[in-house]
Amino acid sequence: MTTDTASDTAPVLKDGVYYHQFDIVIVGAGGAGMRAAIEAGPGARTAVISKLYPTRSHTGAAQGGMAAALANVEEDSWEWHTFDTVKGGDYLVDQDAAEILAKEAIDAVIDLENMGLPFNRTPEGKIDQRRFGGHTADHGKTPVRRACYAADRTGHMILQTLFQNCVKLGINFFNEFYVLDLVTVKDADGSTKVAGVVAYELATGDLHVFQSKAVIFATGGFGKIFKTTSNAHTLTGDGVGIIWRKGLPLEDMEFFQFHPTGLAGLGILLTEGARGEGAILRNVSGERFMERYAPTIKDLAPRDIVSRCMVQEVAEGRGAGPHRDYVLLDCTHLGAEVLETKLPDITEFARTYLGVDPVVEPVPVMPTAHYAMGGIPTNNNAEVLSDNTTVVPGLYAAGECACVSVHGSNRLGTNSLLDINVFGKRAGRNAVEYVKTADFVALPEDPAKEVRELIEGLRTNEGTERIAVLRKTLQDEMDRKAQVFRTDESLGEVLEVIEELRERFKNVHVDDKGKRYNTDLLEAVELGFLLDIAEVVVVTAKNRKESRGGHMRDDFPKRDDENYMQHTMAYLSGDPHSSSPEDHIALGWKPVVFTKNEAGELRYPPLERKY
């Protein structure tokens, strides 16, 4: 067993399993997890468990910025930021949560600045800000400079800054430990109590039980259900999958965001900050086509709108390239100085992966699967819910794995780095308050039993199915039939494929039978989570017969507020191993929260989204 910081409680070895005890266990060491740890560490014995070294977490891939109405460059206000968040999310945003996000954004940025984050600066020495899609002044009248940034490496800078501060605080890190189960017990009244988590140590193959009073999930997204994605290979939805398998619900899983500017054919992200600096999307004839779709803010419309417009341009024969299958991001007019100083990473990406120099030629781009708006349902205190309102005591979630819901059906750019800081902080702070009065829940007799059976079942399976083949089939089908545009027919077809893959997965073969750094076994476990999550995404998408935000139905192209102005709640019911989703997935609804002004009128009534 290896840790970066020695625990003040030595593990106890019992029946081949290591037992640890902490007040708070945080699963995931990305931005949300480490921000929670900074808040929790000084007030409670805290452990952070991550299947990666913390600075390899996917937060480090975020490029463009973090939104906050600092008004350092132009007039701005948190009310305008709230409006943009609600409108950008196509009104499926819980408006009380959006107000919290926008209000606390300012302190969140200042917190990071005080921790040492090197933001870009104005000539006066203030934090510089730039434009980003969907962010406007005066309730949609004009684009506004709201994104605080560190070149196009903002996520990387946030991750490094948070990690350094965690080290300073002496936070206990358990790196390359893969959490595979949430240990819960049922109270006499049937309610769920949290007892800890079970993790598999990659270096040794040992199992570790972490008993804790509180658990915070901060495990990121699940973009690897798609082939073309900006997500790292590790984003396989482990935390979301664990919650699902424990019988707790998932919220709004049908809403997945496709970022407009992924490198064509690869999905590697080019930040929206490029368009914030003035880059232009063009079709094969050189036309700035976004002027036709969003005449006010053009290329800086929200991501769902821009993605659909790009796909439509290609579908109607105006795509570029030898196969007319992409559009072009034109940065040439920005000049070498801007590209090399404010956008150095994307400039290098284009040169390295496509052999295109953005200084002198436009870059081929197409939408890439980027961000999950849905996930583990929480309230504004980051407490996980077992239904629409009931809190699971001691269980918290923050970041992309959680659905609070501040993003609704479409997340605005720069609100993700904001989300992990605002709600990561809230999760850590509220967990500390909880553990002050909570007792440890007694562990069941063999808390590692389910994980042991999962691991050994996969390791010893003598089946013939190959992990890579099943994963590729899933990702290819999701790309073709459940991406930017969907129909009942396409979703039905991919659902049939998923059910077939779930059956074939029972016969999967793991070549490596060893215990140390068995990545073959790791990929098999991850594939199981991907199949579970893809199924929920497709079932919920099939059930929502409207188009809203990141969920675009060709057969139901209009937004339907009368029937679908509500969150989808998915529940695991019946036999989870049955081949028919109707036998193990139950769907329900949860009301959207609207706020009112002093006169009792809706503060942000759902209007048609025009740009």
Side-chain angles (χ1 to χ4, degrees):
M1 181 192 69
T2 58
T3 66
D4 274 0
T5 308
S7 169
D8 57 0
T9 304
V12 175
L13 181 61
K14 178 183 175 184
D15 297 328
V17 177
Y18 290 93
Y19 286 80
H20 310 252
Q21 191 178 77
F22 290 91
D23 295 321
I24 299 171
V25 166
I26 299 170
V27 185
M34 288 201 287
R35 186 63 188 88
I38 288 169
E39 204 67 21
R45 290 179 306 137
T46 302
V48 179
I49 308 174
S50 174
K51 72 174 181 179
L52 298 170
Y53 194 76
T55 51
R56 290 185 60 226
S57 298
H58 195 57
T59 299
Q63 298 169 352
M66 174 174 165
L70 301 182
N72 284 351
V73 180
E74 297 174 340
E75 183 183 358
D76 202 0
S77 77
W78 69 263
E79 289 98 335
W80 296 348
H81 187 183
T82 304
F83 170 81
D84 290 336
T85 299
V86 172
K87 182 183 179 185
D90 221 349
Y91 297 95
L92 207 72
V93 172
D94 285 336
Q95 296 178 7
D96 56 343
E99 289 185 11
I100 289 169
L101 185 77
K103 282 182 179 178
E104 297 184 7
I106 296 166
D107 284 343
V109 170
I110 300 304
D111 284 348
L112 289 171
E113 182 183 37
N114 290 337
M115 290 181 202
L117 197 149
F119 286 107
N120 276 48
R121 299 283 169 172
T122 67
E124 299 77 29
K126 296 180 179 180
I127 295 173
D128 200 4
Q129 296 181 275
R130 62 184 171 202
R131 293 176 178 174
F132 242 76
H135 291 278
T136 68
D138 199 11
H139 304 96
K141 291 186 178 177
T142 183
V144 69
R145 300 181 188 278
R146 185 177 292 147
C148 308
Y149 65 98
D152 58 354
R153 301 171 180 140
T154 314
H156 173 79
M157 297 298 188
I158 288 175
L159 198 64
Q160 298 290 333
T161 300
L162 293 176
F163 181 58
Q164 290 161 7
N165 280 270
C166 283
V167 171
K168 183 173 78 172
L169 290 171
I171 302 297
N172 297 278
F173 281 92
F174 292 83
N175 299 325
E176 296 184 328
F177 280 59
Y178 189 9
V179 172
L180 291 175
D181 194 21
L182 171 68
V183 182
T184 59
V185 297
K186 290 291 185 181
D187 224 349
D189 61 0
S191 60
T192 300
K193 295 282 189 179
V194 172
V197 300
V198 182
Y200 172 80
E201 186 178 1
L202 301 183
T204 64
D206 292 328
L207 296 182
H208 295 254
V209 173
F210 291 82
Q211 185 182 24
S212 63
K213 298 178 181 179
V215 174
I216 301 173
F217 274 83
T219 53
F222 44 86
K224 293 306 288 185
I225 62 174
F226 295 96
K227 175 187 175 183
T228 306
T229 178
S230 65
N231 285 196
H233 289 286
T234 54
L235 284 185
T236 50
D238 314 324
V240 177
I242 289 167
I243 291 293
W244 175 247
R245 291 178 182 181
K246 297 307 290 188
L248 294 170
L250 299 178
E251 180 177 350
D252 286 345
M253 291 291 284
E254 65 267 40
F255 295 111
F256 205 96
Q257 181 176 89
F258 300 90
H259 194 293
T261 51
L263 289 178
L266 298 173
I268 296 170
L269 192 66
L270 299 186
T271 177
E272 195 167 306
R275 284 173 286 137
E277 295 293 342
I280 295 168
L281 288 165
R282 300 189 187 278
N283 58 25
V284 67
S285 64
E287 177 197 8
R288 186 181 189 178
F289 59 86
M290 284 306 301
E291 289 183 327
R292 285 189 273 112
Y293 299 101
T296 302
I297 56 178
K298 304 178 180 68
D299 304 272
L300 289 175
R303 290 172 175 174
D304 61 322
I305 292 175
V306 179
S307 292
R308 288 198 295 274
C309 295
M310 292 168 66
V311 172
Q312 187 171 333
E313 287 294 298
V314 169
E316 294 177 359
R318 294 187 290 276
H323 303 292
R324 297 293 182 93
D325 55 354
Y326 56 75
V327 298
L328 299 167
L329 182 68
D330 184 3
C331 307
T332 56
H333 56 288
L334 300 182
E337 183 178 354
V338 168
L339 289 170
E340 299 289 358
T341 58
K342 291 189 175 183
L343 302 166
D345 274 5
I346 73 158
T347 302
E348 190 61 29
F349 290 163
R351 290 169 177 163
T352 301
Y353 297 110
L354 291 184
V356 172
D357 187 350
V359 175
V360 296
E361 55 190 323
V363 183
V365 292
M366 274 300 278
T368 180
H370 183 57
Y371 189 91
M373 272 75 74
I376 305 166
T378 72
N379 61 18
N380 293 341
N381 293 322
E383 298 170 302
V384 173
L385 303 174
S386 61
D387 54 32
N388 287 5
T389 57
T390 306
V391 168
V392 180
L395 186 57
Y396 302 83
E400 189 175 355
C401 73
C403 182
V404 64
S405 151
V406 289
H407 306 308
S409 59
N410 173 60
R411 176 179 67 76
L412 291 188
T414 69
N415 270 359
S416 59
L417 292 179
L418 176 57
D419 177 13
I420 61 176
N421 280 282
V422 168
F423 289 98
K425 179 178 181 178
R426 280 180 162 245
R429 183 178 66 206
N430 290 320
V432 168
E433 290 303 309
Y434 174 79
V435 303
K436 286 179 180 178
T437 58
D439 295 321
F440 285 101
V441 174
L443 292 167
E445 185 174 343
D446 185 5
K449 179 175 182 290
E450 291 185 19
V451 172
R452 186 184 303 109
E453 290 176 351
L454 170 67
I455 294 293
E456 292 309 314
L458 288 169
R459 194 200 314 272
T460 60
N461 195 339
E462 295 300 326
T464 57
E465 296 287 354
R466 314 306 295 183
I467 299 164
V469 172
L470 300 186
R471 184 177 58 228
K472 184 177 186 303
T473 302
L474 171 68
Q475 293 171 339
D476 286 348
E477 289 296 301
M478 289 294 290
D479 254 27
R480 282 195 288 263
K481 296 169 182 174
Q483 208 208 38
V484 175
F485 288 96
R486 305 162 172 177
T487 65
D488 188 72
E489 181 181 6
S490 72
L491 292 168
E493 289 172 354
V494 74
L495 189 57
E496 288 181 6
V497 172
I498 292 170
E499 302 318 318
E500 177 191 335
L501 292 174
R502 280 166 54 85
E503 284 298 310
R504 292 171 63 186
F505 180 70
K506 297 174 184 177
N507 195 35
V508 78
H509 180 79
V510 174
D511 290 317
D512 187 350
K513 305 301 182 183
K515 290 190 173 182
R516 295 181 179 274
Y517 287 110
N518 189 338
T519 55
D520 198 25
L521 177 63
L522 175 66
E523 289 185 1
V525 174
E526 291 174 332
L527 176 58
F529 286 129
L530 288 174
L531 289 168
D532 285 353
I533 291 168
E535 181 184 48
V536 181
V537 169
V538 175
V539 167
T540 53
K542 206 169 185 298
N543 185 61
R544 184 174 286 271
K545 296 175 174 56
E546 66 156 356
S547 290
R548 185 186 298 269
H551 171 70
M552 181 67 188
R553 288 283 296 265
D554 266 356
D555 45 356
F556 296 97
K558 300 293 184 183
R559 194 179 82 193
D560 181 357
D561 290 345
E562 182 177 349
N563 294 303
Y564 294 103
M565 181 61 79
Q566 46 192 340
H567 301 292
T568 302
M569 298 291 283
Y571 297 85
L572 183 62
S573 63
D575 179 8
H577 303 294
S578 66
S579 59
S580 174
E582 290 82 2
D583 293 339
H584 59 262
I585 298 179
L587 300 178
W589 301 102
K590 177 183 173 185
V592 175
V593 177
F594 289 88
T595 56
K596 296 183 178 180
N597 59 25
E598 295 76 8
E601 303 165 327
L602 290 181
R603 191 182 302 275
Y604 308 105
L607 306 172
E608 185 180 354
R609 241 184 4 153
K610 290 184 177 180
Y611 291 93

